[in-house]
Amino acid sequence: MIPSTFDYVRVNSVDAAVAALRAGGEDAKVITGGQSLLPLLRMRLAAPSILVDCSDIDEMQGVTDNGDSVTIGAATTHWAVMHNDLVKAHVPLLAKATATVADPQIRHRGTFGGALAHGDSAGDLPSVVLALDASMVIAGPDGRRTVSAKDFFVDYFTTAVGADEVLVSITIPKLGAGWGTHYEKFNRTAQGWAIVGVAAAVKVEGGKIVDARIGLTNCAPVPVRASSVEAALTGTSASAAEIDAACASAAAGTHATTDLGADKEYREHLMRVLTSRAVAVAAGV
Amino acid sequence: MPEVRITVDGDLVTDEVEARLLLVHFLRSNANKLGTVVGCDTSSCGACTVLLNGRSVKSCSILAVQADGNSVTTIQGLAGEEWHPVQEAFKECHGLQCGYCTPGMVMSTVDLLSENPNPTEEEIRDGLHGNLCRCTGYHNIVKSVQHAAELMKGGSK
């Protein structure tokens, strides 16, 4: 399968990327690792006029420590993210979820920001950044703006990043002491997308869950927080039975679809089961 | 058309290419590396796996222009005077039947063992997650990787 023709330019600054996108018009497209984009190009589901390669922009690479948060360049590869000491120490949920993305070859090339900007509802990382209250810096012709994760994901394959904009970096608050995390994912075959995934972070003090954040993968057109579970968990004892009871409402507020992988009812069942499992592991139960 | 300069198995290959040319087609058509094969052409099977700057990648999922200025190792660049230990191990343990997935399996194994010289069986299966084999059921492939790890520890070859 051969992509249709397009132009290509590799840029070395965010300003140059924005200028190239603007000059390229509405069919210009950012590429970093291209691990989501190349399959679309080959199947001709996407036919951009020009690809603006942002993988060599220094500012979009690597992880920096801000004290109470870490900032990850959007073009940092999955492999670099999951092996980064700052990420492992302060955002372990992201390291764990990233280790489940696709396969080693794709993790070597694919990028954190690319996976977010692609906006695939079955992608693992959107629910993680939603659960962790991350914020994204987006650069465009009018300068830069910061968008919270809850406003970043708009619809299937649609994010807050405009046609002439670039996702530059993602800032994730550190959770601090007492928090445990886990990413639980269910799929039927090697390389399969998550039928349902659950990103869980819970804070346990004196045997009780005092705070909880749950993000759900592939349960709606965009990642969603299991807000009713978060509320139900807060104040419960960190025991298997109480966690299981609190997770009974995991499907509330979701909009699961029926497809070849699973029907709606089965997905909602998985939401309850996987949320309970994820929380139990995160809470050390 | 953009000109690319890609070091392939130690030799610099320079050519004008269309931006849409996939790296796997560059390797086969422009660099004459026919050992790297096109399998599924959908990013799934990993038969086209090569090392890009030392790390395994699927060459059907990279544009040649993205690899400009970088270094690629194909299955044809592994052996020196003798076969690479991973090649030797796949032969010794018969880690193949039809052999079509083998170039990719070998390259992924080289990457896996460079990162984890002593993988458990589970780590081997997880490390080869991006490579599909429709013949063997993977048992002899796992044995090959285990044997390669032994060979690369030095001594027993």
Side-chain angles (χ1 to χ4, degrees):
Chain A
M1 290 176 282
I2 310 295
S4 58
T5 56
F6 48 78
D7 292 325
Y8 170 91
V9 60
R10 201 187 290 189
V11 293
N12 56 21
S13 74
V14 171
D15 287 348
V18 171
L21 288 169
R22 204 163 197 202
E26 64 177 18
D27 291 330
K29 184 86 182 152
V30 171
I31 186 170
T32 51
Q35 298 302 286
S36 296
L37 185 57
L38 261 288
L40 296 179
L41 293 176
R42 280 189 318 234
M43 290 187 279
R44 301 204 178 191
L45 294 171
S49 56
I50 182 169
L51 294 183
V52 179
D53 189 338
C54 295
S55 60
D56 274 355
I57 300 175
D58 287 343
E59 186 189 356
M60 289 173 62
Q61 291 287 345
V63 185
T64 51
D65 193 339
N66 311 314
D68 58 358
S69 64
V70 296
T71 296
I72 304 173
T76 309
T77 63
H78 297 309
W79 189 85
V81 167
M82 62 186 267
H83 287 93
N84 182 274
D85 288 338
L86 286 170
V87 172
K88 286 193 283 188
H90 302 298
V91 201
L93 178 58
L94 177 62
K96 293 171 196 171
T98 302
T100 76
V101 171
D103 56 50
Q105 293 99 311
I106 287 171
R107 292 195 291 269
H108 289 147
R109 288 292 297 170
T111 67
F112 181 36
L116 300 177
H118 185 54
D120 191 331
S121 58
D124 298 296
L125 304 178
S127 63
V128 173
V129 297
L130 184 73
L132 296 178
D133 293 326
S135 58
M136 287 70 162
V137 172
I138 299 170
D142 300 325
R144 297 186 176 204
R145 60 198 177 100
T146 301
V147 176
S148 68
K150 70 179 169 53
D151 297 324
F152 183 82
F153 302 100
V154 176
D155 204 343
Y156 286 112
F157 299 105
T158 308
T159 69
V161 183
D164 55 0
E165 293 184 313
V166 181
L167 173 60
V168 177
S169 64
I170 301 92
T171 295
I172 306 176
K174 296 178 183 175
L175 285 174
W179 285 87
T181 61
H182 186 66
Y183 187 70
E184 185 77 20
K185 169 174 173 174
F186 185 80
N187 57 16
R188 289 167 47 226
T189 59
Q191 306 175 0
W193 294 93
I195 291 175
V196 168
V198 180
V202 297
K203 188 175 188 183
V204 179
E205 277 178 6
K208 281 196 176 307
I209 293 173
V210 296
D211 203 350
R213 300 179 192 173
I214 316 288
L216 299 176
T217 297
N218 212 6
C219 297
V222 293
V224 289
R225 287 280 283 266
S227 305
S228 61
V229 173
E230 293 176 358
L233 282 169
T234 305
T236 63
S237 76
S239 70
E242 290 208 19
I243 287 170
D244 209 42
C247 292
S249 61
T254 63
H255 300 279
T257 54
T258 292
D259 60 24
L260 283 174
D263 62 24
K264 181 179 192 295
E265 289 69 27
Y266 181 55
R267 277 211 162 81
E268 291 178 346
H269 166 75
L270 284 177
M271 291 176 210
R272 292 185 284 272
V273 172
L274 300 182
T275 302
S276 180
R277 283 184 196 165
V279 170
V281 174
V285 174
Chain B
M1 289 199 295
E3 184 183 89
V4 296
R5 297 164 60 82
I6 302 173
T7 301
V8 182
D9 296 337
D11 298 322
L12 182 65
V13 180
T14 303
D15 221 333
E16 285 190 357
V17 300
E18 282 193 90
R20 63 175 171 168
L21 183 72
L22 302 176
L23 178 61
V24 68
H25 293 140
F26 178 86
L27 294 173
R28 290 177 58 83
S29 302
N30 303 62
N32 199 32
K33 298 292 181 181
L34 298 175
T36 299
V37 296
V38 179
C40 66
D41 209 8
T42 60
S43 310
S44 301
C45 79
C48 65
T49 298
V50 297
L51 304 184
L52 180 65
N53 299 333
R55 291 257 81 102
S56 63
V57 298
K58 293 179 177 177
S59 61
C60 77
S61 299
I62 299 175
L63 300 168
V65 288
Q66 288 179 283
D68 182 27
N70 294 293
S71 178
V72 173
T73 306
T74 76
I75 186 76
Q76 288 172 254
L78 276 189
E81 295 274 306
E82 296 179 5
W83 280 8
H84 187 282
V86 175
Q87 293 173 306
E88 186 67 38
F90 269 73
K91 170 176 168 263
E92 187 65 28
C93 300
H94 197 55
L96 61 138
Q97 283 181 31
C98 85
Y100 202 80
C101 72
T102 311
M105 285 288 178
V106 168
M107 300 313 286
S108 286
T109 301
V110 171
D111 181 278
L112 167 66
L113 293 178
S114 75
E115 201 175 324
N116 181 359
N118 294 300
T120 63
E121 179 176 342
E122 190 182 349
E123 286 168 341
I124 291 169
R125 290 180 182 275
D126 189 53
L128 296 180
H129 191 89
N131 293 76
L132 302 180
C133 170
R134 302 285 80 157
C135 301
T136 63
Y138 301 98
H139 291 293
N140 281 5
I141 291 173
V142 172
K143 281 182 198 163
S144 301
V145 179
Q146 289 167 329
H147 187 50
E150 289 298 319
L151 291 177
M152 291 172 76
K153 272 177 218 159
S156 64
K157 187 176 172 184

